[in-house]
Amino acid sequence: MDRPHIEALEVGQEVFEAAKVVKRDDVKAYADASGDQNPLHQDDEFARSVGFPGIIAHGMFSMAHVAKSVKDWAGNPSALRSLAVQFRAVVYMDETLVAKGKVAALDPASGDVTLDVWAEVERDGQRVLTIKNARAVVNLA
Amino acid sequence: MPLNQSLKGREYQELRLEVDRDRVTRFSLAVGEDDPRYLEAEAARAEGFPDQLAFPTFPTVLGILASAQIVVDPELGMDYSRVVHGEQAFEWRRPIVVGDRLFATPRIADIYAKGPNEFLVIEAEVRDADGEVVCVARSTLLSRGTAGSS
């Protein structure tokens, strides 16, 4: 896998865009693997009873997609140093979640690259940010 | 009813987690991980890792156990039906691998109000069997509409 080089990056540069369709089976598998069995993520009737049109994905399911996108871009399992996200909107089944990352800061001495990252879906013709104000640090040294 | 601010700093029972292959593999598959280093031992060992890698957000398994323990603390006064996951942060010191034994003592790092909502911040250092920190996790739970009411 090609790995990015810090010398070739510039602040403001968009470095990845990764789309994923959110599937019910994956959300169920995530509930079982993570241990988060909140019915909001599995039971449509329950989700409707609290005002949603159907089940929603776990916030952490979306964060995993962001983490994977950053990690895949860095190309090295040890490179990912931190990730902090804010969950701002829910994600429904069969929506396409798009994670994006942009260089926020570069520290050539340490090899640390700070990225602004976020995730969005398109809903009713509008772009909806589901994860925003997120920051990732990867070390490319 | 507002959350009990005096619980800032309270530590809860230590959590333990054996990082087992089945769970790590199921977690990787559920998040769509296709890198073989996260799916089997051989590919990870070929690059010098001691065993199959756990996906970076795998420590959320401990986070779920931590919040399950904390939100039901009767002294905290949290109404779980009002709670949503507001923020999450991880700092990683090394990749977690199958065979790791993880330990974490969650604590309430902060409780604060912003507008009508309250925020409960849970922090935990996740350590391995040697006592080394492998990851620091911080979860912010949002309690909708509980600030300032009585």
Side-chain angles (χ1 to χ4, degrees):
Chain A
M1 197 181 291
D2 280 347
R3 292 180 185 177
H5 295 282
I6 194 164
E7 303 79 27
L9 297 173
E10 287 175 21
V11 171
Q13 184 182 348
E14 292 206 13
V15 289
F16 65 80
E17 176 173 334
K20 172 194 180 106
V21 180
V22 176
K23 305 302 286 184
R24 182 175 289 263
D25 286 353
D26 292 335
V27 170
K28 169 64 176 151
Y30 184 80
D32 291 339
S34 70
D36 185 344
Q37 298 287 0
N38 186 330
L40 197 50
H41 310 301
Q42 298 193 40
D43 180 345
D44 284 312
E45 209 167 301
F46 178 83
R48 284 193 283 269
S49 77
V50 293
F52 297 108
I55 62 165
I56 62 173
H58 306 76
M60 292 304 294
F61 184 85
S62 297
M63 185 183 190
H65 178 56
V66 172
K68 181 176 187 310
S69 305
V70 175
K71 179 178 76 57
D72 288 354
W73 172 72
N76 168 2
S78 305
L80 186 59
R81 295 297 160 85
S82 67
L83 178 62
V85 307
Q86 295 183 355
F87 302 110
R88 289 304 181 88
V90 301
V91 177
Y92 300 118
M93 297 308 99
D94 301 315
E95 288 191 309
T96 299
L97 184 66
V98 182
K100 296 184 186 180
K102 190 158 94 172
V103 177
L106 295 165
D107 181 7
S110 66
D112 279 352
V113 177
T114 304
L115 301 176
D116 283 326
V117 290
W118 65 97
E120 58 192 48
V121 297
E122 196 182 306
R123 186 177 299 154
D124 305 325
Q126 302 284 320
R127 174 171 164 267
V128 178
L129 283 166
T130 64
I131 286 178
K132 67 185 284 191
N133 297 338
R135 275 277 167 109
V137 175
V138 297
N139 186 274
L140 299 180
Chain B
M1 204 173 78
L3 300 175
N4 181 355
Q5 295 271 344
S6 73
L7 294 195
K8 268 185 225 179
R10 175 174 282 193
E11 284 198 346
Y12 288 81
Q13 196 185 323
E14 183 185 58
L15 301 166
R16 296 168 184 221
L17 180 68
E18 301 271 344
V19 181
D20 75 89
R21 192 173 315 283
D22 172 64
R23 188 133 192 207
V24 163
T25 305
R26 286 191 291 121
F27 196 100
S28 294
L29 292 171
V31 299
E33 181 56 80
D34 48 7
D35 181 333
R37 294 172 290 194
Y38 295 85
L39 297 167
E40 39 129 325
E42 204 178 320
R45 288 192 180 127
E47 294 195 25
F49 296 104
D51 207 320
Q52 178 181 349
L53 302 175
F55 189 80
T57 61
F58 187 82
T60 194
V61 171
L62 282 166
I64 287 156
L65 297 173
S67 38
Q69 191 184 176
I70 294 171
V71 298
V72 298
D73 181 343
E75 287 181 55
L76 181 61
M78 197 160 209
D79 173 359
Y80 192 60
S81 70
R82 293 175 176 273
V83 172
V84 295
H85 196 175
E87 299 177 22
Q88 180 67 39
F90 293 109
E91 285 172 37
W92 295 277
R93 306 287 166 82
R94 69 158 170 88
I96 292 169
V97 297
V98 166
D100 273 333
R101 288 162 59 218
L102 303 179
F103 303 83
T105 303
R107 67 178 176 280
I108 295 179
D110 202 4
I111 299 172
Y112 61 92
K114 204 158 78 178
N117 303 317
E118 289 185 289
F119 296 80
L120 174 74
V121 183
I122 301 170
E123 276 183 6
E125 289 178 343
V126 179
R127 294 176 184 272
D128 62 18
D130 298 327
E132 296 293 323
V133 176
V134 298
C135 168
V136 180
R138 191 173 67 248
S139 306
T140 303
L141 303 182
L142 191 163
S143 173
R144 284 175 297 168
T146 54
S149 53
S150 56

